[in-house]
Structures are given as C-alpha cells and as structure tokens.
C-alpha cells in the first residue's frame, strides 16, 4: 500500500495537533471555566494565546487544513477522505500511550475496521492508476 507523502504528513500533523489541544484544554479547564463564569473574554483569550501547547496545537491544525486543501486539489475526494482517517488510528494510539486514555476492546475493533478500510481504499487507488490490461484479439 503506497500513500501519497502529503497524506502521511497531514495525518501526523492532525493527530499531533489534536493531542496538543487535548493536553492544553485539560490543563487549562479550571482557569477557562473561571474566566467564562466571570464573563472575562479578554482574560480567556489571553490564557489561550499564552499557552504553548494550545498555540502549537492550533498551528498544527491550521497546517493540517492547508495540507488537506492541497490534497483535495491534487487527488480524488473519494481517496483523500478515507485515507486521512488514518489519523483516527494514530490519535487513538497517542491517546492511549501519551495521554493514558483507556481504549476499550470494542474501540480497538473499530480502529482495526478503519485500518482495513484505509487499506482497501489505498489499494483501489493503486488499481485505478494501473494501465488497463491489453485486450486479447480473438
């Protein structure tokens, strides 16, 4: 299975951006809730804007969006959307190993189903690029 290099980059950037945002939001939740309760939007925005994990995660998700748009300009949507779902697999792995999240057996089964789907879509894209077999003369 050969994946377009931009697909791989977009999947990694998306997954890392989501992990960083999760870390930031879990850590900042009490401060953000207090600022929301006080209706202090300026303090809330300042808290977010000065948090390295939040800013980095946001920057990575912006980079993902740019990569995704680039992929859409070069490849079929019916290929891009399924193969970028590899990010679900990587995000679940990062969640389990970096964030200590509990991933149930049923969730892992769903992740395996996604992986199989990505494999099938990537294989179909390879088949679409092959020249048609020469027709035999009768």
């Amino acid at each position: 299975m050969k994946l377009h290099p931009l697909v791989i980059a977009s999947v990694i950037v998306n997954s890392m951006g989501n992990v960083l945002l999760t870390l930031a939001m879990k850590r900042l939740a009490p401060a953000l809730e207090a600022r929301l309760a006080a209706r202090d939007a300026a303090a809330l925005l300042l808290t977010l804007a000065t948090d390295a994990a939040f800013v980095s995660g946001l920057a990575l998700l912006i980079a993902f969006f740019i990569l995704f748009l680039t992929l859409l300009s070069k490849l079929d949507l019916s290929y891009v959307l399924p193969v970028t779902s590899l990010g679900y697999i990587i995000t679940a792995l990062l969640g389990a190993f970096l964030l200590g999240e509990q991933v149930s057996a049923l969730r892992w089964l769903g992740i395996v189903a996604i992986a199989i789907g990505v494999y099938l879509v990537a294989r179909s894209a390879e088949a679409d690029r092959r020249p048609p077999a020469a027709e035999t003369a009768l």
Side-chain angles (χ1 to χ4, degrees):
M1 175 175 73
K2 184 178 178 186
L3 294 174
H4 196 284
L6 289 180
V7 168
I8 296 166
S10 71
V11 165
I12 292 168
V13 166
N14 186 19
S15 297
M16 289 306 300
N18 284 315
V19 167
L20 286 170
L21 283 182
T22 299
L23 286 170
M25 296 312 291
K26 287 185 178 187
R27 188 180 69 255
L28 296 174
L32 296 176
E33 288 171 6
R35 284 157 179 78
L36 281 171
R39 298 176 189 232
D40 191 351
L44 185 136
L45 291 174
L46 183 63
T47 300
L48 292 173
T50 57
D51 185 80
F54 179 83
V55 172
S56 299
L58 185 60
L60 286 172
L61 290 181
I62 291 168
F64 162 73
F65 188 66
I66 293 167
L67 287 166
F68 187 74
L69 292 176
T70 304
L71 285 168
L72 291 176
S73 72
K74 296 178 179 296
L75 303 168
D76 292 341
L77 174 65
S78 61
Y79 171 78
V80 172
L81 221 49
V83 296
T84 56
S85 68
L86 276 172
Y88 299 136
I89 300 165
I90 293 171
T91 301
L93 291 168
L94 292 174
F97 295 111
L98 293 181
L99 303 176
E101 296 179 355
Q102 297 296 316
V103 181
S104 68
L106 189 58
R107 197 174 300 170
W108 283 120
L109 184 61
I111 291 166
V112 168
I114 292 169
I116 292 168
V118 169
Y119 174 78
L120 293 174
V121 169
R123 290 284 309 218
S124 72
E126 290 173 16
D128 291 345
R129 286 191 298 264
R130 285 189 210 127
E135 295 182 14
T136 55
L138 296 177

